[in-house]
Amino acid sequence: MLLERLGECATESCQKQLAFHQLGVVMLERNEYKDAQNWFKAAVEAGHIYSTVGVARTKFKRGHKYSAYKLMNSLISDYNPVGWMYQERSLYCIGKEKMMDLSTATELDPTLSYPYKYRAVLLVEENKFQEAISEINRIIGFKVSPDCLELRAWISIALKDYEGALRDVRALLTLDPTYMMFYRQLHCDKVVDTLQPLVQQWSQADCWMQLYDRWSSVDDIGCLAVVHHMLANDPGKSLLWFRQSLLLFRLNFQKSAMHSLRWARNHSTSEYERLVYEGWLLYDSGHREEALAKAEESIAIQRSFEAFFLKAYALSNSSTDTESLIYVTQLYEEALRCPSDGLRKGQALYNLGNVYIDCEKLDLAADCFMNAINIKHTRAHEGLAKVYYLKNQRKAAYDEMTKLIEKALKKATGYEKRAEYCDPDAAKSDLSMATQLDPTRTFPYRYRAAVLMDGHKEAEAMTELSKIIAFKPDLLLLLLQRASFHDSMGDFISTKRDCEAALCLDPSRDLALELYNKAQERLDEQQQK
C-alpha cells in the first residue's frame, strides 16, 4: 500500500521509475507474477530500462522461458553489455549456450558469485570434487561470502574432508552467526556438532599453534575458524574477540568486525583494556581524536602493548610530517617493550618498519622487517623488498617477494608487488597472475593501460581501464585516469562524462574539476567553429 501511494505521489519520471520497479520486486517476492510483470512493464515505459530484467524474470516464472530469453537477448543487443546481463540470460537457456553465457558473465564481471557456484555444482554432479572446490576457491580468493563457504563445506563433506568442512562452517558462523545451511533447514551450530567428532581434537595450546601457522600463511578463513573454536571453549576471552575483529576488518566485514569489537570491550577484565577496545571502536567509526584520548587514558592507568599500538596507528594514518613520524616510531618502540604475543608484535614491527621507510631510515626499517620475518610475520617480506628496492637492489627485492608468494595462501598482492622489481616482460606475467587471482585489484589494469598508451595503442588502453570500471565504478582514480586518456585523444565528450562521474563520487577533487572545465571549453570552441 505504501508503494502504491509512492507511485501516486510521484511527479518526476525518476520517482515513477523507482516506485513501479519496487512494486514489481515486492509482487515478485510474493509470487504474484502477473501483477509483478505489469509493474515492471510500467517502470520500463517510464524509462527504467533495468526493469526489463524484472519483466524477463516474471515471464520465466509464468512459463514463458523463450520469451524471457528473447527479452534479455534484445537488452544485450541494444545496450552496452555487462556481466549481470549474461548471468540473467543464462537462466533461460541450457547446455553449451548456458555455459558460454556464464563464462562471458565472469569475464565481464568476475565478482558475480552465481557463475562460479553453478559451475562448481555441475562439476560435483560429474564427480569432479577437486575441480569443484577449485572453482569455488577462485572467488573465495578475493571475495568471501557465506553462501560460497557453505557450498565449499558441502563439497568437502562429499569428499570426506571433514576438517576442511568444519573450517568453512566455523568461518561462516563468524561472518553470520544466524546462518542456516542446507536450504535454510539446519543451523550451522548443528553442523559443527556433527563434524566435531570426525576430526582431530585440539587443546587450547594446539589452537594457538594452529592460529600462529595460519596467520603466518595469510590464511584468513583458517584463522577465523581457529578463533571461533577457541571462543567456543573460552567465550569470555576479550583478546580472542579482538583478534576476530581484526580478521573481519581485513575481509571487509565491517559490521561483524564492530560486533566482535564490542564483545571484546564487554568481556574486558580491566579498565585499561576496556579503554583500548573503546578506542578502536571510536577509531573505526571515524572518531580519531576520541580514540587517541582513550589510548592516552589507558596508558595513564597501565602501559600496555595495545594502547601504544592504537595511539601509534591512529597518529601514523593522519600525520606525515617528520616530527610526527618520529613520535610514532617512539610509540611503536614503547609498544614492543610491553608484553604481547608474536602475532601482534610481528604486526607492530611491520608497521614500525614502514614508518622508518617514510623517515628514510632504511637500515632501521630492514631490521624491523627481518625481526618480523623471524617471528613468521610473512607480510614483512613485502616491506623488506621495498627497502632493497630503495637501495637499488632490485634482484634482492624480487627474491624477497618470491618468498612471500611461496609462503602466503593469498598470493595476488605478492605477484602485484613483485612486478615492480622485474623487467617489463616478467612484470606483465606477474600482473596477469595477480589479475587472475584477484580481478578486483586496480593496479594491474592501470599499469597495462599506461603501457598501452605509451605504445600509442589508445583503444586497447581504454578497453583495459573499462574492464574494471564496468564492475567497480566507484574507483575515482580509474575514472580520472580514463578521463585523462580521453583528453589526450581529443575525445572531450567522453572526458566530460568521466569527470562528471568522478565529481559525483567526490565533488572536492580539483583534478576532476580542472579536466571537466577544460573539456567544456574545448567543446564550446568546437561549437563556435
Side-chain angles (χ1 to χ4, degrees):
M1 287 174 63
L2 287 170
L3 287 173
E4 286 172 352
R5 298 295 84 74
L6 184 68
E8 291 170 3
C9 295
T11 55
E12 298 180 12
S13 175
C14 61
Q15 294 174 340
K16 291 179 181 179
Q17 292 172 25
L18 177 63
F20 296 158
H21 181 78
Q22 287 185 328
L23 272 163
V25 171
V26 169
M27 294 302 176
L28 182 63
E29 288 292 320
R30 290 169 55 175
N31 299 330
E32 297 178 18
Y33 302 128
K34 187 175 180 179
D35 287 340
Q37 187 172 319
N38 290 334
W39 284 117
F40 283 130
K41 282 183 177 179
V44 173
E45 289 168 3
H48 197 254
I49 304 303
Y50 181 74
S51 292
T52 306
V53 181
V55 178
R57 188 70 68 92
T58 52
K59 281 178 177 288
F60 173 67
K61 292 290 188 180
R62 297 179 69 192
H64 307 142
K65 186 174 181 179
Y66 183 63
S67 180
Y69 177 84
K70 284 201 303 181
L71 202 55
M72 286 308 304
N73 210 35
S74 65
L75 193 65
I76 291 170
S77 300
D78 295 344
Y79 297 92
N80 186 32
V82 287
W84 62 262
M85 293 182 184
Y86 287 94
Q87 174 178 280
E88 185 69 23
R89 192 174 71 174
S90 74
L91 302 177
Y92 314 131
C93 52
I94 58 174
K96 290 183 179 179
E97 202 172 356
K98 186 183 190 76
M99 297 308 295
M100 285 175 61
D101 272 357
L102 289 174
S103 295
T104 305
T106 298
E107 183 182 341
L108 293 175
D109 186 351
T111 64
L112 295 170
S113 60
Y114 174 77
Y116 299 92
K117 293 190 291 182
Y118 183 87
R119 288 188 290 262
V121 171
L122 208 63
L123 288 163
V124 168
E125 290 175 353
E126 297 171 0
N127 292 322
K128 297 177 180 178
F129 297 106
Q130 290 295 351
E131 292 93 330
I133 284 182
S134 296
E135 186 66 37
I136 288 297
N137 284 345
R138 285 177 61 194
I139 191 165
I140 288 179
F142 64 90
K143 182 185 176 183
V144 178
S145 62
D147 57 337
C148 288
L149 286 174
E150 178 189 2
L151 182 53
R152 191 169 71 173
W154 172 63
I155 300 170
S156 296
I157 291 170
L159 268 174
K160 297 185 178 180
D161 176 13
Y162 302 121
E163 286 190 3
L166 185 59
R167 172 203 62 209
D168 286 343
V169 177
R170 286 191 180 281
L172 200 165
L173 264 172
T174 306
L175 301 180
D176 184 355
T178 64
Y179 195 87
M180 303 285 284
M181 292 181 65
F182 303 114
Y183 302 103
R184 306 293 182 264
Q185 297 296 313
L186 191 63
H187 194 275
C188 292
D189 283 335
K190 298 293 184 182
V191 182
V192 170
D193 293 341
T194 303
L195 293 173
Q196 189 72 34
L198 304 175
V199 302
Q200 182 181 352
Q201 302 303 304
W202 293 341
S203 66
Q204 202 73 344
D206 293 330
C207 286
W208 276 109
M209 291 297 293
Q210 292 290 336
L211 180 60
Y212 205 95
D213 289 342
R214 283 159 173 73
W215 200 282
S216 177
S217 62
V218 198
D219 177 7
D220 294 334
I221 300 298
C223 288
L224 277 180
V226 175
V227 172
H228 183 272
H229 186 186
M230 296 169 80
L231 281 169
N233 297 329
D234 190 2
K237 193 79 169 178
S238 60
L239 174 63
L240 293 174
W241 285 109
F242 177 59
R243 185 86 63 194
Q244 188 179 84
S245 73
L246 297 175
L247 290 162
L248 290 166
F249 274 122
R250 190 185 297 171
L251 291 169
N252 293 318
F253 283 86
Q254 275 80 8
K255 185 177 179 180
S256 298
M258 294 295 278
H259 176 78
S260 295
L261 257 181
R262 283 190 287 271
W263 275 101
R265 177 199 59 193
N266 295 344
H267 288 292
S268 299
T269 56
S270 62
E271 180 66 11
Y272 78 89
E273 186 182 40
R274 182 184 63 79
L275 287 166
V276 169
Y277 297 141
E278 285 182 357
W280 279 114
L281 281 165
L282 287 163
Y283 181 81
D284 292 323
S285 302
H287 302 284
R288 189 184 71 89
E289 295 300 327
E290 293 89 338
L292 284 169
K294 291 288 183 182
E296 289 167 0
E297 194 177 343
S298 177
I299 291 169
I301 297 172
Q302 181 167 325
R303 297 162 64 85
S304 68
F305 174 91
E306 291 299 346
F308 280 114
F309 188 103
L310 169 59
K311 188 174 180 181
Y313 189 85
L315 286 172
S316 64
N317 285 346
S318 60
S319 305
T320 56
D321 59 281
T322 304
E323 187 176 342
S324 297
L325 290 175
I326 290 172
Y327 182 50
V328 169
T329 63
Q330 293 170 354
L331 290 171
Y332 275 125
E333 287 166 356
E334 287 294 335
L336 289 164
R337 292 189 187 100
C338 299
S340 186
D341 60 78
L343 297 174
R344 292 298 283 159
K345 290 212 168 185
Q347 186 64 54
L349 285 164
Y350 177 75
N351 291 2
L352 178 57
N354 281 317
V355 178
Y356 276 136
I357 287 177
D358 293 336
C359 295
E360 299 182 355
K361 297 179 179 180
L362 299 184
D363 290 335
L364 289 174
D367 288 342
C368 286
F369 293 132
M370 287 177 180
N371 288 333
I373 290 167
N374 288 338
I375 53 177
K376 294 188 175 182
H377 190 80
T378 301
R379 286 187 173 88
H381 286 292
E382 182 182 335
L384 189 55
K386 188 174 182 180
V387 171
Y388 286 139
Y389 176 71
L390 292 171
K391 289 184 174 184
N392 293 317
Q393 300 174 17
R394 292 175 67 93
K395 177 64 168 61
Y398 180 90
D399 292 342
E400 208 61 42
M401 288 310 302
T402 301
K403 292 176 185 176
L404 186 147
I405 291 169
E406 291 169 351
K407 292 179 182 179
L409 186 68
K410 289 188 174 181
K411 303 177 187 294
T413 302
Y415 282 109
E416 182 182 298
K417 296 295 182 182
R418 192 174 71 171
E420 299 177 24
Y421 311 132
C422 53
D423 61 79
D425 288 338
K428 184 178 178 182
S429 175
D430 274 358
L431 291 174
S432 177
M433 181 59 74
T435 297
Q436 183 179 330
L437 294 172
D438 184 354
T440 65
R441 303 187 74 86
T442 61
F443 176 75
Y445 299 90
R446 292 165 50 203
Y447 177 88
R448 288 188 290 264
V451 170
L452 288 165
M453 283 296 287
D454 290 341
H456 303 289
K457 297 178 180 178
E458 290 86 357
E460 291 92 330
M462 212 65 67
T463 300
E464 189 64 38
L465 275 185
S466 297
K467 283 180 185 177
I468 191 166
I469 292 175
F471 62 87
K472 204 170 182 182
D474 58 329
L475 295 170
L476 184 61
L477 181 58
L478 284 178
L479 287 168
L480 288 178
Q481 187 170 358
R482 191 170 71 171
S484 299
F485 285 178
H486 283 307
D487 180 66
S488 67
M489 294 165 62
D491 184 356
F492 302 119
I493 292 176
S494 297
T495 303
K496 182 181 173 183
R497 178 202 62 205
D498 279 357
C499 287
E500 285 172 340
L503 288 166
C504 284
L505 296 169
D506 186 355
S508 65
R509 280 296 175 116
D510 293 336
L511 177 57
L513 190 59
E514 182 182 334
L515 273 173
Y516 176 84
N517 291 333
K518 180 183 175 183
Q520 186 63 58
E521 288 174 9
R522 296 290 187 275
L523 289 170
D524 291 341
E525 289 172 5
Q526 289 175 0
Q527 288 178 353
Q528 289 172 3
K529 291 178 182 178

